Amino acid sequence: MNDLHSRLAELLEVDEVGPADVLAESPLWDSLTMLSLIAMLDAHFGVNINVADLREIKTAGDLEVLIATRKRA
């Protein structure tokens, strides 16, 4: 999911994001970023999630698992 990590880094305006990185620790992690992430996941990965889903995840790795689960469903 390197593409996911690259896109997350772009959204959070950091150099890189790894699986263990806690998303909520980013100063840019707010409702607007969450909406941008939801739109990006739909456009680039064909995965539909909502804000409630994002509130349940902590790390970029958790997001990877959510995406993989939704892709199989």
Side-chain angles (χ1 to χ4, degrees):
M1 286 264 172
N2 289 333
D3 189 34
L4 172 63
H5 293 172
S6 297
R7 292 180 186 280
L8 277 173
E10 186 177 316
L11 280 175
L12 298 174
E13 297 179 9
V14 295
D15 292 332
E16 62 182 18
V17 172
D21 290 342
V22 178
L23 299 176
E25 290 180 355
S26 169
L28 294 181
W29 187 251
D30 58 14
S31 59
L32 182 57
T33 302
M34 288 182 188
L35 292 175
S36 296
L37 177 57
I38 289 168
M40 182 271 292
L41 292 174
D42 184 37
H44 295 283
F45 296 98
V47 175
N48 192 357
I49 65 170
N50 58 44
V51 173
D53 295 326
L54 289 179
R55 289 189 178 131
E56 296 295 319
I57 65 165
K58 294 193 184 299
T59 66
D62 295 339
L63 182 58
E64 288 179 71
V65 171
L66 178 64
I67 291 169
T69 302
R70 293 292 167 92
K71 279 190 168 187
R72 281 186 248 137

